[in-house]
Amino acid sequence: MCLPAWGRARMAAQRLSDLARLRRVRDRIDREYTQPLNVEALARDADMPAGHLSRQFGLAYGKSPYAYLMARRIERAAALLLHGDLGVADIRRMVGCSSPGVFRTHFTELVGLPPHAYRLRAVGTVADMTPWVPEQATKTGGLAITRA
């Protein structure tokens, strides 16, 4: 006969194990954002079913693994647009976005300006501009953008 406390302890241990795996997935996305990543591969490496990983990642970090990956890519692209001499297409490829349309859509959604406009606005005013920081997901699934 099992005591109720044993069941609670086992559930708590499983939750801690899941959180550690989710942190490793997040850290991998942060490290390898330029590489082609998909939820199935991330889940396989975390030894979790893909659906479970997506649900738990969303609960822990406020957005899906794909949304988190795109936020990292756009964050890096925005920094390169402000401080680099590369063209938008080169930067898009550097951060791991193969599709110009997907890159432009996500960039505009997260930053509030298309990449070219973001760069043009920054010309001559880089010292006045602060980089954007993805804060947390809103209830609609988008990112709330704040200025640092």
Side-chain angles (χ1 to χ4, degrees):
M1 175 152 241
C2 289
L3 295 174
W6 293 355
R8 287 191 298 273
R10 184 172 181 196
M11 287 177 60
Q14 182 62 45
R15 178 76 177 137
L16 287 175
S17 174
D18 283 353
L19 286 173
R21 288 188 278 177
L22 292 172
R23 189 176 56 249
R24 284 192 297 272
V25 168
R26 187 201 60 203
D27 291 347
R28 180 176 175 197
I29 292 171
D30 287 341
R31 268 191 328 274
E32 300 176 18
Y33 68 91
T34 63
Q35 304 302 314
L37 296 172
N38 62 51
V39 174
E40 290 78 18
L42 293 170
R44 187 174 42 254
D45 291 347
D47 196 27
M48 297 172 89
H52 183 67
L53 171 66
S54 291
R55 281 187 301 279
Q56 295 303 312
F57 196 95
L59 290 171
Y61 298 110
K63 55 182 121 342
S64 71
Y66 178 75
Y68 185 84
L69 170 63
M70 288 307 295
R72 287 295 152 251
R73 288 175 172 172
I74 299 305
E75 179 181 26
R76 181 65 181 142
L80 290 170
L81 284 168
L82 284 179
H83 305 292
D85 296 332
L86 298 171
V88 173
D90 294 327
I91 290 172
R92 172 185 54 80
R93 285 188 293 273
M94 281 179 64
V95 299
C97 291
S98 58
S99 168
V102 169
F103 176 72
R104 180 183 166 90
T105 299
H106 282 283
F107 194 98
T108 303
E109 179 182 300
L110 295 174
V111 178
L113 296 169
H116 286 83
Y118 184 75
R119 171 172 269 166
L120 289 174
R121 186 172 176 198
V123 172
T125 61
V126 172
D128 298 332
M129 288 187 71
T130 55
W132 66 275
V133 178
E135 191 172 70
Q136 61 182 334
T138 63
K139 290 182 181 180
T140 61
L143 290 178
I145 307 302
T146 60
R147 296 285 175 183

